[in-house]
Amino acid sequence: MRRLLLLVLCAALLAGCGKAAPETQGEQESGWPLAVSDGRAVRAVGDRLVILSGPSTLTLVDGAGRVLESRDLQCALDPADPAFQAGAGELRYYDSLRRETVVLDAGLRELRRIAAPRDMVGSPLLSQDGGTLYYCTQDAVRAWDLTTGIRRDLRADLPAAPVLTGIEGSILSWTCGSRSLLTDTGEGRTLYDGSAPLTLEQAEDRYYAAVELGQQQLLLFGRGEEAPTLLTPAGLERGRFLKNLHKTVTAAGNTLSCYDLATGQRESVLNLDGPPVDVTEAGGRVYVLTGDALCPWDTDSTPSGDGERYTAPYGDGDLNSARQLARDLGERYGIEILIGREAADCQPWDYEFTPETRAWPVYRQLELLGETLSRFPAAVWEQMLAPFDAVRVCLVRKITGTPASGSVATANGLQFFSGDGVTLALSVGPQSGRALYHELYHVMEDRLLSQSDALDSWEELNPPGFAYSRSYTAPRDPETRAYAQGENAAFVDVYSMTYPKEDRARILEYAAEPGNEALFRSPMLQAKLQALCTAIRQAYGQETAPEAFPWEQYLKFHSSQ
């Protein structure tokens, strides 16, 4: 196997290696392919390459495939550890045994060691200029100026232990619980906060971002303030940006594809005998590492020949990959998720659905939907779905009421029953998480009213003399609308004053979302929230369940624990 792989690499990768001057070509290229034992990672240090073999051996190689230096470390390195960094003239890693960040020069000679702060957890990251060490404590992300010795919090009082995942220029990437964040270390601004892990790279005025969505990956790139472009590989492949070449290499099994981001075309395809371990760029060339060998890949010698364009403007990609993600997410939660025209075709008689045909908003919506569903209590979710033969979620661009039906003009969400199934429609946008909770309340309501008495005296929780409008036209008189204002508000908003069911659904959607603590300081809304939470626990047999449900975060008894 090893001999065959070396022959494959020789034949397939080296066809274009003779780009040096003819009189020195043989001597320069005599090192390729370079046999490797247990290759785990390759990093570029200037025009040279550093191979990690096994857990702790570093080998320095020049552009001709000649071994220049080898160093056996006294600690194991994890290729996935973001502290294992390479730059123009340095290699950095974190020695977890001695709790030190180690900096090596381009010849693998040790330059310095930086002892970790005592309160640090996980691996630190050294800024590209070597002047600042970023690290985490149990509840904070901190920056340590190594010149002045000053340490400051970038983020503090976090709800979960943070973990650093990368640094690019002044942008620090990290996670906190299920959240993935990007922070500008200079200004302290949060550039991204979402459930999908995101990595960012930069080269001059270009940027490259990889967004992880379940088993799939979105590859975005752009320049300056321009809207990003989406790479849509031929298959559901994972990719690695080669930012200095403005290319991307994707891997699907044993097959590598190289995409020229300037033209959007797949310029080369390489079929290996075994799976690739790592890909990098150095000195204007692409290098491929397997477990047995390292060699340059001349992409001109293995053309794909299909002539297709695999890029699309931000938001306009193919929906096929999104459909697969929707199917995967639906299977996980026992529901059917429809997008595009299929979702719009489910519209009821009294509403019109505008399909969302742009890929990026759909991907983002699926991310938000997955995040919301992951927070829903499993025991309640399973019982809620049980009475229905089918539960369908439709993601659309817009939900519009029809004038003749008397429905509302526009809606963020909608639920309706047909046969033995229920359909939830959500309008793509940042409010979809709240809208989902709103519509799920309507799905639960019959059970809450029949299996619990906690809502029997609901209208007694309203201000004296108040009466719901019993139509989808909200009250307009200032005196009534004032009930949704101030510290003693009795309603979330005026829409809550239409029907008791809309009042309760509004409370559930706002109670389940962060940032609404002030709203539920109102004694009347606190009492309503208490009644609603009690009804859900009673109706679904969860009175003694120890977990706090998402919509219980603002209950007084919960906040005092």
Side-chain angles (χ1 to χ4, degrees):
M1 176 69 74
R2 180 170 181 172
R3 178 178 175 82
L4 177 59
L5 181 58
L6 291 177
L7 290 174
V8 169
L9 286 169
C10 280
L13 303 183
L14 295 182
C17 284
K19 295 183 179 179
E23 61 271 18
T24 59
Q25 177 180 346
E27 179 184 356
Q28 286 185 334
E29 301 302 336
S30 60
W32 299 124
L34 180 68
V36 173
S37 176
D38 191 17
R40 300 192 179 185
V42 60
R43 298 287 188 270
V45 181
D47 291 342
R48 296 175 173 181
L49 299 161
V50 176
I51 306 166
L52 174 63
S53 299
S56 59
T57 301
L58 298 179
T59 303
L60 182 66
V61 180
D62 68 9
R66 294 182 293 241
V67 174
L68 304 178
E69 186 65 58
S70 183
R71 182 186 181 106
D72 189 26
L73 307 178
Q74 300 303 309
C75 65
L77 298 187
D78 179 359
D81 187 347
F84 184 30
Q85 306 168 293
E90 290 183 349
L91 184 75
R92 294 101 171 261
Y93 65 90
Y94 178 60
D95 183 339
S96 58
L97 294 178
R98 299 179 63 176
R99 287 179 53 85
E100 294 175 331
T101 295
V102 183
V103 181
L104 308 180
D105 68 9
L108 299 187
R109 293 177 291 269
E110 189 172 301
L111 294 177
R112 61 172 171 161
R113 287 178 174 261
I114 305 167
R118 291 183 178 180
D119 59 348
M120 187 189 83
V121 295
S123 296
L125 289 176
L126 188 62
S127 64
Q128 292 178 347
D129 64 4
T132 304
L133 190 74
Y134 299 98
Y135 67 96
C136 297
T137 65
Q138 288 291 347
D139 64 350
V141 178
R142 309 203 73 199
W144 178 15
D145 188 316
L146 298 175
T147 301
T148 65
I150 295 175
R151 304 181 188 185
R152 60 187 175 91
D153 288 337
L154 292 177
R155 289 291 183 274
D157 299 322
L158 296 170
V163 177
L164 302 183
T165 57
I167 187 167
E168 184 73 14
S170 64
I171 300 175
L172 186 70
S173 59
W174 52 287
T175 62
C176 182
S178 62
R179 311 298 295 177
S180 180
L181 302 98
L182 296 181
T183 299
D184 187 321
T185 60
E187 301 178 7
R189 293 187 300 119
T190 297
L191 305 178
Y192 172 80
D193 182 353
S195 62
L198 182 149
T199 57
L200 183 71
E201 299 179 60
Q202 296 173 297
E204 297 179 344
D205 63 340
R206 289 191 172 99
Y207 60 88
Y208 305 86
V211 185
E212 305 294 332
L213 291 177
Q215 298 300 312
Q216 298 189 48
Q217 183 187 56
L218 294 187
L219 298 169
L220 302 166
F221 62 96
R223 183 192 295 271
E225 298 298 324
E226 295 176 0
T229 298
L230 176 68
L231 177 66
T232 56
L236 299 179
E237 307 165 17
R238 307 186 69 76
R240 170 76 59 83
F241 287 113
L242 306 177
K243 60 184 182 181
N244 294 317
L245 299 178
H246 197 46
K247 300 177 187 290
T248 297
V249 171
T250 64
N254 296 345
T255 300
L256 294 177
S257 297
C258 185
Y259 295 86
D260 184 339
L261 300 181
T263 64
Q265 294 187 342
R266 180 169 57 172
E267 65 177 10
S268 184
V269 174
L270 180 64
N271 295 307
L272 297 173
D273 189 55
V277 173
D278 205 355
V279 177
T280 193
E281 58 179 311
R285 305 171 78 181
V286 182
Y287 292 85
V288 178
L289 176 69
T290 69
D292 297 315
L294 174 71
C295 205
W297 173 14
D298 180 7
T299 57
D300 293 336
S301 69
T302 53
S304 68
D306 61 13
E308 297 290 333
R309 185 179 181 89
Y310 291 95
T311 56
Y314 177 81
D316 293 334
D318 187 358
L319 285 179
N320 287 333
S321 296
R323 286 188 176 92
Q324 182 60 52
L325 183 61
R327 284 192 290 269
D328 293 344
L329 186 62
E331 289 177 3
R332 189 183 313 164
Y333 291 101
I335 59 178
E336 182 182 16
I337 302 174
L338 298 178
I339 62 175
R341 173 53 61 185
E342 297 95 324
D345 288 343
C346 293
Q347 67 184 34
W349 70 272
D350 51 347
Y351 282 89
E352 294 180 355
F353 294 168
T354 302
E356 179 55 87
T357 57
R358 299 169 299 168
W360 176 252
V362 172
Y363 276 114
R364 177 59 176 157
Q365 194 62 54
L366 289 170
E367 176 201 349
L368 293 173
L369 179 61
E371 178 183 346
T372 303
L373 293 176
S374 70
R375 299 172 58 216
F376 208 94
V380 177
W381 180 257
E382 292 170 3
Q383 294 182 66
M384 185 181 65
L385 299 188
F388 305 104
D389 289 341
V391 176
R392 183 180 297 112
V393 176
C394 298
L395 304 181
V396 298
R397 183 181 300 180
K398 190 175 182 181
I399 302 173
T400 308
T402 55
S405 69
S407 54
V408 297
T410 60
N412 290 324
L414 183 70
Q415 60 79 33
F416 54 94
F417 300 91
S418 56
D420 293 328
V422 61
T423 298
L424 308 177
L426 301 175
S427 178
V428 169
Q431 305 303 317
S432 63
R434 282 198 353 229
L436 178 61
Y437 277 108
H438 185 106
E439 304 311 328
L440 288 176
Y441 169 78
H442 291 310
V443 176
M444 293 190 289
E445 185 175 58
D446 283 349
R447 179 161 180 154
L448 301 186
L449 296 177
S450 63
Q451 302 296 319
S452 170
D453 60 2
L455 303 180
D456 290 353
S457 302
W458 181 265
E459 297 200 28
E460 295 179 10
L461 302 176
N462 290 328
F466 173 83
Y468 292 101
S469 66
R470 308 284 174 176
S471 74
Y472 282 107
T473 301
R476 296 184 179 276
D477 60 287
E479 182 178 348
T480 303
R481 295 171 75 91
Y483 290 142
Q485 301 170 4
E487 297 179 355
N488 295 311
F491 302 92
V492 170
D493 57 15
V494 293
Y495 183 76
S496 305
M497 303 178 191
T498 57
Y499 292 93
K501 63 180 181 180
E502 300 300 346
D503 188 7
R504 293 189 284 264
R506 225 20 155 214
I507 288 173
L508 185 72
E509 66 169 285
Y510 275 78
E513 290 290 295
N516 294 322
E517 181 177 0
L519 182 66
F520 291 99
R521 291 195 183 112
S522 161
M524 287 188 178
L525 283 176
Q526 182 65 213
K528 287 184 175 182
L529 178 60
Q530 179 72 69
L532 182 56
C533 293
T534 299
I536 294 174
R537 284 189 174 265
Q538 289 179 348
Y540 290 98
Q542 300 298 303
E543 295 98 323
T544 60
E547 65 177 305
F549 298 158
W551 47 82
E552 294 177 340
Q553 61 184 317
Y554 303 123
L555 285 178
K556 286 182 179 178
F557 78 82
H558 176 59
S559 62
S560 63
Q561 289 180 346

